[in-house]
Amino acid sequence: MINSDKIKQRLSELGIDAHEFRARAGISIDVLDDGPALATISAETVMRICEVLEIELAELLGRPRPAGPHRPDEDDLVIEAALARHGQFAATDLARALNWPFQRVEQAIQALTLRLLGTALQVVRAGDRVRLEARPALLDAETQTRLHAAEQAQIPLSAQEAVVVLQLLHHHHNAVPDPLPLDAETISVLLHRRFAIQDRTDLQPHVDISFSMGLKALPEIPGRHRAKPSGGAGYRSRS
């Protein structure tokens, strides 16, 4: 719920009357005094109210930041915890899992959408499904690629995928002509995690895997790119 007492306090402190507030925020004090459900007010209107009153969204909602962690005792916090822990859901599935009426879920999703404005996270709706995502402007494409690679590197291969990688290495480095019986899902995983590359229709081990297994010699580093010897010795490139 919007904290109407906080609104009146800030209007008094800033010397803003009801007419000016309505003109700038796009909503009247009388409407807010009636205690409307947060889900009935647009996100843009809520942010305009915060701008006019020069307060944070948490203050407007009557939720000062506690010293300790939040307890999930409000609907939007419950929805946030469910999405953060279990990924995306259809609103109907959330209603069923939480044993809530559908309208209660929808109102909680709207409240969560508003509360996350101005934070690193956002609520994304695609059709009937809802999920949490990082705001795209915060991470550039290059950073996201590096983070994704680091994330994937932490996931161990399954036994089946490890066997396939070893078979790929054997076939490639020993010139075995028979193709491997690979399913589309395993191929997708190996390509996505850069354990393999696809040359036309042929699947091969990624060159980094061959290097790491000692099956392929590292490329010769040109003299001008070699590290300068430490100590007092001078550096002389090969001619």
Side-chain angles (χ1 to χ4, degrees):
M1 293 289 292
I2 287 181
N3 187 346
S4 60
D5 290 336
K6 183 65 177 181
I7 294 176
K8 293 175 182 177
Q9 175 190 334
R10 287 299 292 157
L11 290 177
S12 176
E13 293 171 351
L14 297 171
I16 299 174
D17 62 26
H19 296 291
E20 181 182 353
F21 175 77
R22 180 174 183 176
R24 293 173 60 186
I27 192 170
S28 72
I29 294 293
D30 293 338
V31 170
L32 298 174
D33 269 344
D34 290 338
L38 190 59
T40 65
I41 304 175
S42 71
E44 292 78 10
T45 299
V46 173
M47 293 311 296
R48 282 199 302 269
I49 294 172
C50 291
E51 290 174 3
V52 171
L53 301 179
E54 300 177 12
I55 60 175
E56 297 292 331
L57 183 60
E59 292 183 79
L60 180 64
L61 300 180
R63 295 182 191 161
R65 294 180 180 272
H70 285 296
R71 292 186 59 187
D73 54 2
E74 297 188 48
D75 287 357
D76 60 317
L77 297 178
V78 174
I79 296 294
E80 183 178 15
L83 296 177
R85 179 65 180 84
H86 297 286
Q88 68 175 351
F89 287 99
T92 51
D93 291 335
L94 280 170
R96 190 178 301 111
L98 296 171
N99 197 25
W100 289 1
F102 179 75
Q103 186 61 31
R104 180 178 175 184
V105 171
E106 284 292 327
Q107 290 179 351
I109 292 171
Q110 174 69 359
L112 178 60
T113 301
L114 294 171
R115 182 165 58 78
L116 292 181
L117 290 173
T119 72
L121 295 178
Q122 61 181 345
V123 174
V124 176
R125 301 201 72 159
D128 65 339
R129 304 188 72 81
V130 59
R131 67 182 184 272
L132 291 179
E133 277 189 4
R135 296 191 183 278
L138 297 177
L139 299 172
D140 58 50
E142 186 177 344
T143 300
Q144 289 191 57
T145 299
R146 290 197 301 268
L147 289 171
H148 180 72
E151 177 188 26
Q152 292 296 313
Q154 298 178 66
I155 305 173
L157 289 175
S158 69
Q160 177 186 356
E161 292 160 357
V163 167
V164 170
V165 170
L166 290 175
Q167 289 175 332
L168 278 176
L169 289 166
H170 174 66
H171 274 61
H172 180 71
H173 291 283
N174 295 302
V176 177
D178 298 332
L180 287 171
L182 299 173
D183 62 275
E185 183 178 354
T186 301
I187 292 175
S188 176
V189 169
L190 297 180
L191 291 174
H192 187 64
R193 299 187 56 190
R194 297 174 63 84
F195 281 98
I197 58 174
Q198 199 153 31
D199 181 14
R200 297 181 184 175
T201 59
D202 185 29
L203 195 69
Q204 300 181 11
H206 194 282
V207 66
D208 289 347
I209 303 299
S210 296
F211 287 147
S212 66
M213 298 289 289
L215 298 173
K216 188 176 180 66
L218 291 170
E220 184 68 22
I221 301 174
R224 65 179 180 275
H225 294 304
R226 289 177 179 166
K228 185 175 180 179
S230 59
Y235 174 73
R236 181 179 301 171
S237 62
R238 292 183 180 179
S239 57

